[in-house]
Amino acid sequence: MDALDLARWQFGITTIYHFLFVPLTIGLSVVVAALQTAWHRTGKTEYLRATRFFGKLFLINFAMGVVTGIVQEFQFGMNWSTYSTFVGDVFGAPLALEALLAFFLESTFIGLWIFGWDKLPKRVHLATIWAAAIGSNLSAYFILAANAWMRHPVGFEVNEATGRAQLTDIGAVLTNPQAWSTYTHVLGASFVVAGLFVVAVSAYRLWRHRDADHEMFRKALRAGLLTTVVAGIVVAASGDHQAKLMAQDEPMKLAAAEALWRTEAPTGFSLFAVGDVEGSRNVVNVQVPYVLSFLATGEFTGEVEGIVELQERFEAQFGPGDYVPNVPVLYWAFRLMMGLGGAAIGVGVLGLWITRRGRLPERGWTYGVAMLALPAALAANIAGWVLTEIGRQPWTVTGELLTAASVSPGVSLGEVAFSLTTFTLLYGALAVVEVRLLWRYVQAGPAHVTPTVEPGARVPAFTY
C-alpha cells in the first residue's frame, strides 16, 4: 500500500461521512419551511410546535454538515495538490458562486431564523427560513456542477505550457447536462431522506408516546410519507435520464455496473450475477430481457457496449492502461442503490395506505419498519455516491487526468496515515455527538410554545 491508496481511502471515508448530512440538510430545510408556512397560513399551534421541533433537528444536522464539509476542502490541498492545480481555474468559478451566493444566503438567513423568533415580523421570519432552504438547495447545484465537470468536462481548454485546465465557458459548465440531471436525481433522493426522517421520528413518537401529541405526529407522519412518494417518483424519472447519460458519457461505468463484459444488442438488466473478473465473464447472470437496452438507449433492442470492447477502445484512444473500474463494487452498489431506494418508496406508498382516513397501525413491527426505512434511504444515497465516484476510475477528470497522477507528489505514506487516523477518530467522535444530540431532542419531544406576537399588535393589559 502506498500514499495514493491511503489518500483514496481517506477521501472516500470523509466524503461518505459528509454525505450522510448533506441530503438530510437539503430536504429537511424545505420541510421545516413548509411547516412554518402551514403555521403562518392556518395559525394552528401544532404546526408551530412541529416547526420548532424539526427545526432543532435540522440545525443539529446542518452544523455537523458544515464541520465535516470543511475537511473536504483541506484534503484537496493536503493529498491532491496536482489535481487541485489542474482543476483550480475551472472549479474556482462554481465553488466561488456556491460560497458567495448559496452558502452565504444559507448561513446568514439560518442565523436570522434562529435568533429572529419573537423579534422579526411573522412574514419576515418566515422568509428567512425559505431563504435558508433556497440557499441549501442552490449550494448543492454549484457543487454538483463542479463534480459533473469531472465526469463530463466541458467549457475548458488545457494550457500546454502550464498543464492546467483553463475555463473558457462558465455557461457550459453550469448548464452541463450531467449537472442538471445529477442535481435533479440528488435533490429527489434528498427529499426521500428528509421525508423518511420525519416518518422515522414521528413513528417513534407515536409508538413510544402514543398519548402525547398524537394528532401532530400523525399529520407529520403522513406529510413525511407523501414527501417520500413524490420525491421517489422524481428519483426514478431522473435515474432513467442518468442511465442514458451514463451510456453516452461514461459507457465503462454503465458496463461495469451491469457486469456486461461483451457488447450486446439487445441486452437485459441483470438482477443477480456471479462473475469471474479475471476471466472477464459471468458464471451466473439472471436478467430481465431488453431492460438495459431501453435504459441505456431508449430502445428495447439498442446496443450497449461491453467492458472488453470498451477497454480496447480506450487503449487505442488514451494509450496502454487499465480502464476498468472495480466491477464487483459497482455492480452491488448499483443494486443496493436501486433496491434500497425502491424499498423506501414502497414504505411510503404502503404507509399512506395504512394511515388513510385517520388510521394508525396497531402492530409494533410496522413502526419498526418505518424507522428502519431511514437508514435504508441513507444507505441508498451512499451507494449512489460510491457508484458515481468509483465508476469514474481510473480518472479524476475523465479523459484528462488520471487518479494516479492527481495525488500530491511530496506527501508521504506516514503523513497520509496520520491524517487518515486523525480524521477517522474525529469523525467517530462527531458521530457519537450527533446521534446523542438527535436522540436527546427526539426523546424530549416538541416543547409547548406560545405563538409569536406581531410587533405593534394589541395585547391585553392583563392576562392569566
Side-chain angles (χ1 to χ4, degrees), residues 129-366:
I129 187 61
W130 275 112
I134 291 170
S136 293
N137 285 261
L138 195 60
S139 177
Y141 183 75
F142 290 119
I143 293 171
L144 288 173
N147 182 270
W149 184 85
M150 295 161 65
R151 289 178 281 123
H152 180 53
V154 292
F156 79 105
E157 62 182 17
V158 176
N159 186 321
E160 298 297 338
T162 62
R164 301 173 62 178
Q166 294 182 338
L167 184 66
T168 58
D169 187 353
I170 180 62
V173 174
L174 295 179
T175 59
N176 188 341
Q178 286 278 4
W180 279 107
S181 181
T182 305
Y183 179 67
T184 307
H185 197 61
V186 171
L187 209 61
S190 299
F191 279 91
V192 169
V193 170
L196 288 174
F197 179 81
V198 174
V199 168
V201 172
S202 301
Y204 174 77
R205 294 292 308 181
L206 288 168
W207 176 47
R208 297 302 300 267
H209 306 272
R210 188 168 286 265
D211 297 327
D213 303 309
H214 174 277
E215 188 57 24
M216 189 188 93
F217 280 111
R218 193 191 70 78
K219 288 182 178 178
L221 180 73
R222 293 273 300 171
L225 291 167
L226 183 61
T227 301
T228 301
V229 173
V230 173
I233 294 171
V234 174
V235 172
S238 58
D240 177 69
H241 188 239
Q242 287 265 282
K244 290 173 175 58
L245 282 180
M246 202 190 305
Q248 174 185 308
D249 300 331
E250 302 175 283
M252 183 63 90
K253 179 195 288 185
L254 180 63
E258 278 295 309
L260 182 68
W261 294 100
R262 294 285 181 180
T263 300
E264 295 180 13
T267 183
F269 180 83
S270 177
L271 293 178
F272 176 79
V274 177
D276 175 8
V277 176
E278 295 298 325
S280 300
R281 67 187 183 94
N282 291 320
V283 179
V284 177
N285 193 10
V286 180
Q287 293 181 312
V288 180
Y290 303 106
V291 173
L292 183 58
S293 287
F294 180 77
L295 287 174
T297 67
E299 298 177 1
F300 286 105
T301 57
E303 180 181 277
V304 183
E305 292 182 281
I307 295 171
V308 174
E309 287 80 5
L310 285 167
Q311 170 67 23
E312 293 171 356
R313 178 155 73 87
F314 289 161
E315 282 187 347
Q317 184 177 355
F318 301 114
D322 183 1
Y323 298 95
V324 183
N326 191 313
V327 175
V329 169
L330 287 188
Y331 181 85
W332 290 111
F334 194 23
R335 269 130 204 90
L336 200 63
M337 177 188 72
M338 295 184 70
L340 291 177
I345 296 166
V347 168
V349 173
L350 187 62
L352 283 175
W353 172 255
I354 293 175
T355 59
R356 70 191 187 282
R357 299 174 184 171
R359 301 175 185 176
L360 279 177
E362 295 295 330
R363 298 182 184 276
W365 66 266
T366 53

